[in-house]
Amino acid sequence: MSAALSLTGVTRRFDDVVALDRFDLEVARGEVVALLGHNGAGKTTTVRLLAGLLAPDEGAVRVQGRDPVVEGDEVRQHLGVLPARPVVDDRLTGRQNLAFVAAVFGLDTAEAEARGAELLERFGLTGRADE
């Protein structure tokens, strides 16, 4: 059985900074993994690579056998990430934050607006959506 997640020989640089250096990780289906480490250890870079938001400079990344850079929309539909900090942008309104998340998950504009309105209504936030 193939791994749920695998990074093989992954290197990712940001200018002169090497965030990941020939990093290997394999996670089996059903296995739970937490990425822990000090600031700058490469945790966020790893998650962004897995989500297809970044491409590795070297090596291979696979999520259930898919390349997240090529098949990012499909990968993100099955990927769950719990960040340490909320992912909302306090410079955006509630409605704009919902639209942003919808775009990340590949919803078209009409579908995003409908789903956003549904969620705002469900949580009693319709009156504050544009704050």
Side-chain angles (χ1 to χ4, degrees):
M1 182 182 309
S2 66
L5 306 173
S6 69
L7 294 96
T8 307
V10 172
T11 297
R12 176 61 192 194
R13 296 176 192 85
F14 297 95
D15 297 320
D16 293 336
V17 175
V18 179
L20 294 173
D21 188 15
R22 298 180 307 258
F23 181 60
D24 293 320
L25 174 68
E26 186 168 296
V27 179
R29 294 177 192 272
E31 190 172 20
V32 176
V33 172
L35 298 176
L36 304 173
H38 60 82
N39 290 345
K43 302 176 301 291
T44 300
T45 299
T46 300
V47 172
R48 288 181 177 165
L49 288 162
L50 289 167
L53 302 175
L54 290 175
D57 294 319
E58 299 170 22
V61 178
R62 294 292 178 271
V63 177
Q64 295 189 351
R66 296 177 181 210
D67 180 343
V69 173
V70 176
E71 300 177 90
D73 289 343
E74 292 85 358
V75 166
R76 286 186 292 277
Q77 288 177 5
H78 301 283
L79 188 66
V81 176
L82 180 60
R85 285 182 265 158
V87 294
V88 296
D89 186 329
D90 61 4
R91 296 168 294 177
L92 301 177
T93 67
R95 189 181 316 276
Q96 290 169 328
N97 269 291
L98 288 170
F100 171 75
V101 172
V104 167
F105 283 94
L107 276 68
D108 64 42
T109 303
E111 189 177 8
E113 288 175 2
R115 184 73 173 125
E118 176 187 324
L119 291 169
L120 290 165
E121 177 69 27
R122 178 186 299 174
F123 294 105
L125 295 170
T126 302
R128 301 189 71 183
D130 296 311
E131 293 180 14

